[in-house]
Amino acid sequence: MSNGAGRHLRWIALRALLIWGAWTLYALFVSSQSYLSRAYNSRIELGPAVKYAFLDAYSWALLTPLVFLVAGKLVVRRANWWWVVPALFAIAIMFAVAHLNIFVRGLPWIGYRVNVRTMQAMFTARFHADFLTCVVLIGVRHSIEYYQRYRIRELKASQLEARLAQAQLEVLKMQLQPHFLFNTLHAISALMYRDVESADRMVTRLSDFLRLAIDSSGVQEVTLKREMEFLDKYLEIEQVRFGERLDVRRSIDVAALDLLVPNLVLQPLVENAVRHGIAPRAAGGRIEISASVASDFLTVEVQDDGAGPCGEMREGVGLSNTRARLAQLYGAVARLELGAGAQGGFLARLSIPARPATNNANSDR
């Protein structure tokens, strides 16, 4: 027997057990209530009351799966209520009559004498109660159906929201890559006229960087260790361009290397430092990259020793997209702070929840 068939049989058995269990509780309640209510007026034995209640309940237990089946096929909706409601009304009458037939024919089994007059009296006394019981069962089946459909809509909505968020992240990431690529190609074209060998090295470094980027396509988060590998490839490109004018120093906490960061999040921060802190100065400058972990947060800082922010700061494509990606991935708990460093220059400080790669299915492999 296949796993699917086995699960289906287990579900059928569980559903049958729930139905019989519910009607058993109903029979116990009815029999005890009937016994106690009559005990004040006359002497009554508990046994007959229990048998009578269980015959009534188990007759309904036999019919309940059929009621659920029919009610599940005729679910009331806005478009069909005008004919489904009358149909269910007629079906409730039919099931009430069926239950009365089963119940009356079972009375001899528990010691009752049944004749035509008894059957007529039973039908007259119990029909409305049985009709209402069937209506309640139809209502229960509709409640289950409506709840299941609500859960399905909720699941589809959450899946759609997740796909939308993923698409938004992919758009933001794709905007970063062409932005970086155009800047690098511009630098290569400038070198082609004065240093062909350096331009060739830059093309090779760019190829290595793009290969890494393609390998991680579709992955929104990678470990900081992996992110530093990306960053090294980018810095190799800039090193060809600036030579000794670019001094990069790193201070990375070992505990931070296995924590997750957004894929390619550091490249636009370092690119911003290179463009505004290093490129305008003939003597070049220094970029310091640090990472530390404290209070369940990972903090990464990129600081240059340039002139720092001048007047009102405007964020370009790289920084604004980085901020948008952080908001998508982490919400309000993530922070990207931009401003002057404590000892001058420009400081970009990234702070996100410290999450190890083993707890995230989207980490790099």
Side-chain angles (χ1 to χ4, degrees):
M1 183 182 296
S2 64
N3 291 335
R7 284 195 298 269
H8 183 65
L9 289 176
R10 285 194 295 272
W11 166 240
I12 293 177
L14 177 61
R15 186 168 56 182
L17 184 62
L18 289 173
I19 290 173
W20 284 91
W23 281 114
T24 298
L25 292 175
Y26 169 81
L28 290 173
F29 174 80
V30 169
S31 59
S32 62
Q33 191 271 340
S34 177
Y35 174 77
L36 292 174
S37 64
R38 296 181 184 181
Y40 288 105
N41 301 321
S42 61
R43 186 176 184 82
I44 182 174
E45 294 183 6
L46 180 61
V50 172
K51 292 177 181 178
Y52 189 91
F54 270 83
L55 176 62
D56 177 37
Y58 284 167
S59 298
W60 273 120
L62 289 172
L63 293 173
T64 297
L66 293 176
V67 176
F68 279 5
L69 178 63
V70 174
K73 299 292 185 181
L74 296 174
V75 179
V76 178
R77 301 187 183 90
R78 185 179 301 176
N80 65 5
W81 68 268
W82 59 274
W83 68 269
V84 170
V85 171
L88 290 174
F89 185 88
I91 288 168
I93 293 176
M94 293 171 56
F95 274 110
V97 172
H99 172 262
L100 283 170
N101 271 286
I102 296 172
F103 176 74
V104 171
R105 294 178 186 280
L107 285 174
W109 298 350
I110 61 174
Y112 286 82
R113 293 180 180 178
V114 178
N115 53 40
V116 175
R117 192 172 179 181
T118 304
M119 293 178 66
Q120 291 176 345
M122 282 287 181
F123 269 79
T124 303
R126 294 181 54 90
F127 174 77
H128 291 85
D130 281 8
F131 172 77
L132 290 176
T133 300
C134 189
V135 169
V136 170
L137 289 176
I138 292 173
V140 170
R141 181 62 183 89
H142 273 64
S143 298
I144 295 172
E145 182 70 21
Y146 293 146
Y147 177 73
Q148 289 176 340
R149 294 189 179 194
Y150 165 76
R151 292 289 296 169
I152 290 173
R153 287 196 301 268
E154 191 177 56
L155 178 61
K156 288 182 177 179
S158 64
Q159 290 174 341
L160 181 61
E161 185 177 350
R163 287 197 295 267
L164 178 61
Q166 183 74 12
Q168 290 172 337
L169 285 169
E170 288 296 333
V171 168
L172 291 170
K173 209 169 81 171
M174 285 189 295
Q175 286 177 351
L176 284 176
Q177 291 171 358
H179 177 258
F180 155 72
L181 183 60
F182 294 151
N183 291 340
T184 305
L185 290 176
H186 179 73
I188 292 173
S189 66
L191 282 174
M192 287 293 294
Y193 296 99
R194 54 187 176 87
D195 191 344
V196 176
E197 185 177 347
S198 295
D200 183 66
R201 286 202 308 272
M202 188 176 286
V203 170
T204 302
R205 302 292 189 273
L206 176 61
S207 174
D208 293 338
F209 180 87
L210 292 178
R211 188 177 297 110
L212 281 176
I214 291 172
D215 289 342
S216 65
S217 62
V219 178
Q220 291 299 336
E221 292 180 295
V222 297
T223 60
L224 180 61
K225 180 180 179 181
R226 180 73 164 172
E227 181 68 11
M228 292 303 297
E229 293 177 4
F230 292 152
L231 189 60
D232 286 342
K233 292 298 180 182
Y234 166 73
L235 287 171
E236 287 176 4
I237 295 172
E238 298 294 8
Q239 204 75 56
V240 173
R241 178 183 173 191
F242 292 100
E244 295 182 356
R245 293 173 56 205
L246 176 59
D247 179 18
V248 180
R249 301 180 184 181
R250 300 170 180 82
S251 177
I252 309 298
D253 186 349
V254 176
L257 290 174
D258 292 327
L259 300 180
L260 291 170
V261 297
N263 192 11
L264 296 176
V265 71
L266 295 183
Q267 183 271 326
L269 302 182
V270 175
E271 182 182 4
N272 184 72
V274 169
R275 178 185 294 182
H276 300 288
I278 308 300
R281 303 161 61 189
R286 182 179 69 255
I287 296 177
E288 297 179 359
I289 305 168
S290 63
S292 59
V293 184
S295 302
D296 295 327
F297 273 84
L298 168 63
T299 300
V300 182
E301 295 183 349
V302 177
Q303 182 170 1
D304 62 67
D305 61 351
C310 299
E312 183 180 357
M313 185 179 64
R314 297 178 59 186
E315 296 182 4
V317 174
L319 293 178
S320 61
N321 280 18
T322 298
R323 193 181 295 280
R325 290 181 67 201
L326 292 175
Q328 284 280 0
L329 285 169
Y330 309 106
V333 296
R335 296 191 304 275
L336 177 60
E337 301 172 359
L338 306 173
Q343 300 179 352
F346 187 84
L347 172 65
R349 179 183 292 115
L350 170 69
S351 181
I352 59 176
R355 296 191 300 175
T358 53
N359 294 336
N360 192 295
N362 291 331
S363 61
D364 56 309
R365 300 187 256 297

